[in-house]
Amino acid sequence: MNSKLQLHIQENLQRKFLPEDFLQIRPPVKQHHVTSETDLTYTFLHRLMMLDYRARYVRVKADGPEGTHPKSVRVIDITKKDFINLDALLSMSADTRQSEQTHLHPMDVQMAVFHCSDSFLKQMMITKLSQCQYALPLLVPDPVTMEIECPLWTFRQITKTWKVTEIKDSSNIVTMKSVPVYKAQTPLVSFLRLGSLSVSKSQLINTLINDRHSTFFHRNCPGSTKSCYLMDGVAEIAWYCPAGKPNDAFNDCIAFCNLHGDALLTERQRDILIKRSLVTVVLVASLQKDEIITALFESQNHFIFLTVDDDRDLFKTTTGQYIMGLKGKSQSDISEELKQIIREVSSSLDGSNLKSSFQLETMAELSEIRVDESDPACQRGKSAAMIIVDILSKDNMNVSKLKDEFLPYRGDLWHQWSKIHKELYHLRGDIEKEKCKKEQELMNIRQKQCAASFSKLVELFIVSLSSFSPTDKQYFLKWIQILMDDLSTDDLSSVLQSYDEKWSEVLALKNKHMKSDLLIKKQTELEEISKKLQSATFGLEHIFREMGQIYEAHRAIEGESRHTDWSKYPELAAQLMISGHPMELMDGDAGHVPLTWISSLLEEVIKKLGDQRVFVLSVLGVQSSGKSTMLNTMFGLQFAVSAGRCTKGAFMQLLKVSEEMKKDLKFDYLLVVDTEGLRALELEGNTTHHHDNELATFVVGLGNLTLINIFGENPSEMQDILQIVVQAFMRMKKVNLSPSCVFVHQNVTDVAAAEKNMDGKRRLQEKLDQMTKLAAEEEDCNADCFSDVIKFDVRKDVKYCAQLWEGSPPMAPPNPGYSESIQEVKNVILSKASQSDGITLTQFKYKIQDLWSALLNENFVFSFKNTLEIAAYRKLEIQYGNWTWDLRSNMLTAENQLYNRIENGNLDMVKVSDLTKKTSKTYEEIKTAMKKYFDENREKEFLAQWRGRFETKLKEVHDEQVSTVKRKLDEVIQQKEARKKLDDKKKEFEDKLLQKSKELAQQLKDKAKDEEELQKQFSSVWSDLVTEITADIKPVEDIDLEEDQFKILQELGFEPILINESKTSGSYKKISSVGDYSDYAGETEKLSLDSIRAKPVATRGYTSAYLQEVAKIVKEKVEKFQSESKCTLKKDFKVDLLLYVFYKAEILLLDSQEEFKMKHDPLTYLESKKTQYYNVFRSFCKGNLSAVVLAELICEKLKASIVEAVCNKTAIGLAGEMRCSFPAFNGNRLNLEKHVLKSLAENENFDDFITYIRNPRSQTEAFIKAEVKKYIFRDHKDETVNILKKNVDDINMLMSQALSTATQKVQTQRGDINMWLKEFSSLLKEELTLDTFSSQNFSDINNFDFLMEALKKEFTPISDEIRSLSLNKLKESRLKPDEILIDQLCNCCWVKCPFCAAVCTNTIEGHSGADHSVPFHRPSGIKGWHYRGTVEFSIDFCTTNVASDGSFYPCHDSEETVPYKRYRTAGPEYADWRITPDESKLVYWKWFVCRFQKKLEEHYNFKFQGRGEIPSEWKTISKCKAIRSLDEMCK
């Protein structure tokens, strides 16, 4: 044996090749390339898997550089004389041959791979060899032990189909048969040779089977060599399958067997074949009397002796043997003679003769050979499968009844459930009641499913799946499928024949373009046969379907199940899917996607593999167009391929990307989705059209790339599929999905004709453009050509494939051109895939849910919700919140610093550039982080559409914050300028007071301990100074808002009696929460209060003009409302509205005026400082040094500033802490909404609910304030105190550093107290405010170390006091944590749904370019909607209504209705809302309606009765369940 080959076999006999080694996405094999031996195994198997029968003709060269180049011709230098010495020349030639390395024999390669493969790869390999019309190993000697094995297992997946021709009543009757080859009972004709002969036995057999194809490899085949090491003793078998035509060689199927090597040396194989054969053909050199030939002659078997060395004519002995000489005869003559003999022998035997039929299965009965199925793992799998099949076959039921009996879940009950579930999306009448009724029906069906007896079949199936090892499990599944196919074979064959005949009739009529009653009748008959065909099939997919339904049923009723193992079903199925088993995605019989099952299955796959990235390849095509064959050829997949009806529904299969390909591809798996054929040519009708549109939209949406398979070149036959495909792609464009596509034309006669192909592409382009225009009209979309819909290049994205068969089936081999074409298509797919990141398995799961949910509705585009896109947007909103918080936090710090500088007199003008400069570093960091997020995020494809909007919005937020802070600081500057006169007076007052205090202290030294005398003397000085200083300053007067309001109302023409009545009753205070105009009152209030907030009351004081402006706003609002609604509001309502707005404005005005008074009224200010100055006076009296008095004065002045600084920093810190860690505040707007609703439910306060419904922002602000209060004063009090203490410590550090620095500088520069004070103030200017004061009273200070120590001593008790500061002080600070958080969290969209008042949950206010939306809506009765002319509440959800055929009145006084499906046309408030069907899943508001039924009835004066009666199902919802349902909002 060739040494390399021997080594290769020995290495791999221990570690077998596995299917997964080859069924991966690997680099493409070059079709016309000389391969090195190291690549030979993969090359052979790869090309075989692609049905390229030239796989065994791969030429092998030695490893090395020269191995890839054609062998050069050796040139020998000879002369004419050399021809005389011919012997020497021949000798030279012989030496040359011997020096060359001989390549491996092709059959050695095949058998080496066979021996080194595990049983599953062997089975796959033999199946592919059979499809290539090659002979298959029947008896194989083990290359090591020489034990003979029959690889029966490898034949188990092969089915042979042929047509038997019988003559009855002078006419030919053709019957089609389709039988698993191991069960086929056929005559066997065996060929063997005795001795070494010059004639090729294999070539002779080929002439009997197919003279155009080398079924059996022979010496004249390409690549053949003299030495073949692994074929001696191997018996190969092939079947001749007639086509039912006159030129068939035989009328029925016949098996041909070929024993390789010398039969004299392989006695056991020879004897087995002779015993099993109807006819044995023996090739000998000549008939000589020897022991073996004599024995053969004397046996009772039929022999044909072919003598190679004589030329005798054919003759037959009396014992039934045939003898014929081959010498001088042509191969065709010999072939015809043999055919005649075989036909003669076959027809002379009756069926009772056992020799007349051979069956592969019976080989297992032979004791002298080993059968591969005797392997223990195979036997275990078979035994488990047999138990199940025995249960199925014991009552001899037909397949259809078997499925109903043993798989009850997936039958009628599941079909009923699917039908009713689809009806949920097409409700009519009383929508909510009808919906509840349907939901109850669905639950009842689920309960019936669970009550159905749990089938023994499924139980045993699950036990085997759960307990078997991976190998045993693989055997078990194969055996189950084999044995179940066996059950349905007989039924299937007859139905297939009927189907084939009827289909031919329908096609014939269609080709005549006949639309007659006869065509309709034939189509109806065909549909009936089609149903029978589906009933006659029974496969693993039906068991998995049953598992899925068991799982879904038990999941639906949760704890009511008696069975406990169902929760493991997705895990079991996931293991199989990972191992490469196809899984049903859409049940083609029910026309439904079992979402719960599929989602759980994919979740289990994710658990096992991780959230791997996959590239989804969807395949669409007309039925029976060769889609599954193409996929199996392209990737070696296992999608079912059958005659007549093909894949039913949609299946998905995972294909791993090999390590060497991962450098080119950005995903880990290829996920292939194969579908049932579109628009079966023989069937027509609306149902079929709808189903095809549904299926096409589903798989096109799922795929990153869709392969559109077209059979043939006739554009008219393409029209149906093209229209469906174009419409599917148009829908994807409208919902912002952008898959790519490749068109594949199969069965093209001349693939190489470039001109013809270009013409075909042009016609396809024209057809696509034509279909685009048609689809655009149907989908209401602007598109003139296909490239408007999808990125498409007809030159690159259209591929032509040669016809599959090289000749006429069933004996035709696959066309090698087909394999090459498919390889080209595969390369195009991988090229496109290399440009894609694919999607994660989680994204794929959500895509399935989104697409199917949208498809259940009538309008796909309108109903589609892209969960992945929504999730990406919500994450972006959270990130945006973080960015804007960083900006806000930075801006607050900058504001604080500049505020202190202004108060310290170090800044008298704030420029925008100053603010921009202070925040530029943070802003640039945020912009960099944003860019990185959009560029590097895994969901960047989704994010790209919002990038511009968010970048613009971030700039707007930055600019707005700069503008706001500048406005605030400008007001501070104005305020400071406004009180400049007062500040000057204060400084004058302080200087005089200090001077007087010093002088008086000298006089009162002896009375320093007499507190009463000191106070008396100080008060006298104080009164005189206050009178002197304030003599020319007018005090700030108190304001009388009530009087101003009364005057304004009178000026507007309202009678005093009407005003007084309204004030006395207090009814105006409730106007925002009662009646039809509460929303209107809320809007007016907001506008008015915004106007008041914008007024500089705190800096310039109150004027009645502010209230007059508010009154003007209310008046304009009223006039606008009356004009638009064409109605007149009553006077008392107008008075109530004005008083309500005044009442709300009053608090703001009084607070601001009090602040103004404190800062601008000298008497108020000086009175607040009296105690501080008394303490300084008393210190002088006690004889304290000036340094000590100055230290006291500085600390007193700084104390309030330090408290304010600590509180402000604590407010910012607390807001930041809560923003990051508090669940309600650390997400997006939707997350905040969830927590507000949760809080409302927990508190169960009806008035708060009404406030939320009428004015959601107000209630949200109240929620934020309440939560901040709880956080600070109760739940996180200790953490708050720690934050405050840390800020005190920071101030201490600042003070200490400022003291040290100022002292050191003054001492170094020999400065005075004035210099020290300036330096000290300068160091504090951005953190603390320190009023300037004259140093003249402290000019005697020159010991600055003493001053520093005095300050430290004086500051210590103040620091300790502030460290123990009451948290209530935070309420008085300039910055408050709740207000900071309100600014951050409430600066979003507050637009309410016009139907149900649900609040838009977009984090960005305005969000131009995007519709308002909310994940879940509410019953419209919550807003007060009712049926016109009745007191009946409306309990319908707008999300259900918009999918119904109902209509509504856009406002309470509308005269015409608008269909819900066209709600956007009802007016501006409706036009910007995207309301998608959600099956009203959120039970929260159903609970609310039940909990507050009476209060809602009292509030709105309507009743929950008649059409508004509350469904009984709502009343079962608990508060706990209602709160839990809120989590659905944020999924």
Side-chain angles (χ1 to χ4, degrees), residues 45-146:
L45 270 173
H46 175 83
R47 291 178 68 171
L48 183 62
M49 296 302 167
M50 293 199 73
L51 293 185
D52 186 349
Y53 67 69
R54 300 169 303 181
R56 67 183 185 188
Y57 301 139
V58 178
R59 305 279 294 198
V60 184
K61 294 281 185 180
D63 288 332
E66 72 280 0
T68 58
H69 299 287
K71 183 171 66 179
S72 59
V73 178
R74 183 176 176 189
V75 178
I76 302 171
D77 186 17
I78 62 172
T79 63
K80 192 173 181 180
K81 293 177 185 177
D82 292 324
F83 283 102
I84 301 167
N85 189 358
L86 191 57
D87 290 340
L89 184 60
L90 293 175
S91 173
M92 185 186 297
S93 300
D95 291 342
T96 303
R97 281 199 304 273
Q98 287 168 12
S99 67
E100 291 175 2
Q101 180 182 343
T102 57
H103 62 259
L104 294 175
H105 191 287
M107 294 308 291
D108 278 342
V109 175
Q110 178 180 308
M111 293 311 295
V113 173
F114 180 83
H115 286 302
C116 297
S117 299
D118 82 335
S119 60
F120 300 105
L121 186 56
K122 278 182 183 174
Q123 189 182 70
M124 200 180 294
M125 174 184 164
I126 296 305
T127 304
K128 294 290 183 181
L129 284 171
S130 174
Q131 289 172 329
C132 288
Q133 297 296 350
Y134 280 145
L136 314 175
L138 176 65
L139 298 173
V140 184
D142 186 286
V144 179
T145 65
M146 299 311 292

Side-chain angles (χ1 to χ4, degrees), residues 794-838:
V794 75
R795 293 166 299 178
K796 296 178 183 175
D797 298 335
V798 178
K799 293 293 168 187
Y800 289 91
C801 287
Q803 54 195 15
L804 174 58
W805 303 114
E806 193 175 69
S808 300
M811 289 307 297
N815 179 3
Y818 176 80
S819 174
E820 289 182 10
S821 304
I822 296 300
Q823 180 65 55
E824 284 179 27
V825 175
K826 181 179 178 181
N827 292 343
V828 169
I829 291 168
L830 294 181
S831 172
K832 284 183 175 285
S834 67
Q835 299 162 29
S836 167
D837 292 336

Side-chain angles (χ1 to χ4, degrees), residues 1066-1077:
S1067 60
Y1068 65 88
K1069 293 181 181 179
K1070 298 178 182 176
I1071 198 169
S1072 69
S1073 59
V1074 178
D1076 291 334
Y1077 300 96

Side-chain angles (χ1 to χ4, degrees), residues 286-302:
S286 60
L287 284 176
Q288 297 173 353
K289 192 169 184 181
D290 63 30
E291 186 181 337
I292 292 175
I293 291 178
T294 302
L296 294 178
F297 263 101
E298 291 174 353
S299 73
Q300 298 300 309
N301 299 318
H302 292 281

Side-chain angles (χ1 to χ4, degrees), residues 223-253:
S224 180
T225 65
K226 282 190 174 181
S227 304
C228 182
Y229 302 100
L230 296 177
M231 286 302 290
D232 280 351
V234 173
E236 287 188 301
I237 190 169
W239 285 263
Y240 173 81
C241 297
K245 295 180 179 177
N247 61 347
D248 287 341
F250 307 100
N251 290 338
D252 206 339
C253 183

